[in-house]
Amino acid sequence: MGHELIGFLFPNDVHIHWTLMIVLYPYVTGLVAGAFIVSSLYHVFDREELKPLGRFALAASFCFLSVATLPLLNHLGHPERGPMVVVTPNFSSAMAGFGILYASYFLVVILEIWFVFRADMIRYAAESRGFKRMFYATLALGVYDTSEEARALDHKITRILAAIGIPMACLLHGYVGFLFGALKSNPWWSTPLMPVIFLFSAVVSGIAVLIVLYQLAMKIKGMPIERETISALARWLWLFMIMSLTLELLEIMTLAYEKAEEWEVIGPLLANQLSISFISVQMVLGGLIPLILLGIVVVMGAYMDDRIRNTLSMVASLLLLMQVLAMRWNVVIGGQMFSKSMRGFRDTYVPGMFEKEGILAAAAILILPFLLLVVFERILPTFDHLGQKTGDLNLDLDSEPRLG
Amino acid sequence: MEPASSLKHTKHIFRVSFLLGFVLIVMILSRGLFVPKSWGQYGWYRGDAVPEHRAKPVVHGGDQSCRECHEDQYDLREEGAHVGVRCEGCHEPVGSHVINGEMTAPMFIPASFELCTGCHRRLAARPDDFSQVNPQQHLEDNEMDLTDTVCTECHDPHSPF
């Protein structure tokens, strides 16, 4: 018999049309922006403590970006029409903004990856033969110049690209928030704070996922987890989560204090339909607890054993990843739980397990970027450069492959 | 003019720029392939869509075409509460059943719970004098179990009361 309808709903407000896929879309996009900003902290602002993550964060950003459109394509159907948003933009539609921002951001990320890994590609080409050599030589576009001058130039261009990338990352994610913030018929969405909240929570989720992935990657590779790196990430994460949480709370407090007509519907929405996902998960379990855990890491970091620091920041990051997902859920699904009449609600929305846009499809899309990351790591290892000395590689591709 | 030596180590940059330029040009040129020829002829849509839609076979016939064979059902509905509901609204277009006066297939007879509750599930936004039920309550009151065709066990869709 399905859902219960409470109060006065317009007949066309009975269904949830924006499903779990639309929850995932800003979530995955947010991971991109956050990871990219961490990589830029190293490449642009020379935060040496983030050096171990400079390349990995870029690779993670690329992998998340590659799957960011999948939830939308699955939701809309006709995935073959997806690229049209880039090739044939309709400038009178807000979606054209997505096409342009997404495509140019993708370009910036790919170019930055190419310039960062170029010397590596040439080295791998020189060290291998046959198909593998051909593959890396093609990746390097057939130019084998690894002289000091060429690499200095690469460095300079990387820095410029990373600098261009920061405003683009902000725009891309701000834009996702804008899509919701610009829907004037829905008071739960239509606020100028929406793009800012989306942006900050995006950075939170991006840094959090890097803390988790960095620790896992070091465990798998048997490399040491750098104390400075984890401390720096925890500090940045704490800062951004405080800002993100503050903005989220400010929005609710403004609504609650003003008690304008929309509070009639938003108040009960938060107290009933979203009580678990908003109050329990987004604010307490995913907000307050990581705030305390990261606070301990930041304030008492100097006296702390590495293992405790790593565990605390790992737990806080996992909780924050859940918090940001809950925030996306509360925005996207919450905004559809009440009628435009402002007088009626649906009681629940539970996505099916095997539906086209159900839990299984969502899990598959969420796992995909991590698989991509494993493949990326295989082709272009992101941590190997840490142990190496820099200097002129002095490669001769016509010579026999070197051993070792 | 720059001395030639300053360009010595920029070969890879020229190559990646060339590749980028190539992709950009292909993208701009391919736009012509993807934008339909008749786009924008009348407005922000494909002009050819108009004759294409005009050329589609007419499948709906309206109530009068059903009445030609099913006058008894038509009259029953005219006198009942469903007088405002068109035949093809619940059944299928007459074209799926009769073409040029010849019956081609039996008509679809809908009787599903979902179809009925689409209009008659209780919703405060609907007018008070419109027949609405809370399906669960209604079934309990009449001591019936939920089946797909439970509504039509008591109600005749052509004249529900």
Side-chain angles (χ1 to χ4, degrees), chain A residues 1 5 7-9 11 84 86-88 90 107 111 114-115 118 141-143 145 147 149-150 153-154 157, chain B residues 8-13 15-16 19-20 27 30-31 34-35 44 113 121 123-126 135-136 139 146:
Chain A
M1 217 164 287
L5 307 174
F8 186 100
L9 280 95
M84 293 300 114
V86 179
V87 181
T88 62
N90 168 5
L107 196 70
L111 277 178
W114 192 74
F115 280 108
R118 206 179 62 83
L141 297 181
V143 184
D145 187 355
S147 61
E149 293 91 333
L153 206 56
D154 288 352
I157 293 173
Chain B
K8 202 175 152 203
H9 294 289
T10 52
K11 193 174 166 196
H12 64 290
I13 292 168
R15 207 163 278 191
V16 78
L19 185 68
L20 260 180
M27 229 170 81
S30 65
R31 187 178 186 278
F34 292 117
V35 176
W44 194 259
F113 171 79
R121 185 193 294 276
L123 200 57
R126 294 198 172 106
Q136 197 177 356
L139 288 174
L146 174 63

Side-chain angles (χ1 to χ4, degrees), chain B residues 17-135:
Chain B
S17 311
F18 178 76
L19 185 68
L20 260 180
F22 178 74
V23 169
L24 205 69
I25 288 167
V26 167
M27 229 170 81
I28 291 168
L29 291 182
S30 65
R31 187 178 186 278
L33 287 178
F34 292 117
V35 176
K37 293 256 173 317
S38 64
W39 181 268
Q41 193 178 348
Y42 306 114
W44 194 259
Y45 59 95
R46 205 162 47 87
D48 285 349
V50 179
E52 272 171 31
H53 276 281
R54 215 164 44 204
K56 281 187 174 173
V58 176
V59 291
H60 287 91
D63 291 355
Q64 291 308 321
S65 65
C66 306
R67 186 185 192 178
E68 285 174 26
C69 301
H70 304 284
E71 187 144 13
D72 49 337
Q73 306 287 18
Y74 179 89
D75 290 343
L76 185 63
R77 194 207 55 181
E78 283 293 285
E79 288 154 17
H82 272 172
V83 62
V85 183
R86 305 268 68 85
C87 306
E88 290 161 312
C90 297
H91 291 276
E92 294 206 326
V94 71
S96 69
H97 170 55
V98 173
I99 293 171
N100 294 330
E102 295 289 323
M103 186 170 126
T104 53
M107 177 44 91
F108 172 65
I109 301 185
S112 78
F113 171 79
E114 284 299 324
L115 180 70
C116 303
T117 50
C119 295
H120 296 289
R121 185 193 294 276
R122 176 156 296 285
L123 200 57
R126 294 198 172 106
D128 283 339
D129 58 354
F130 185 83
S131 169
Q132 308 169 67
V133 293
N134 175 340

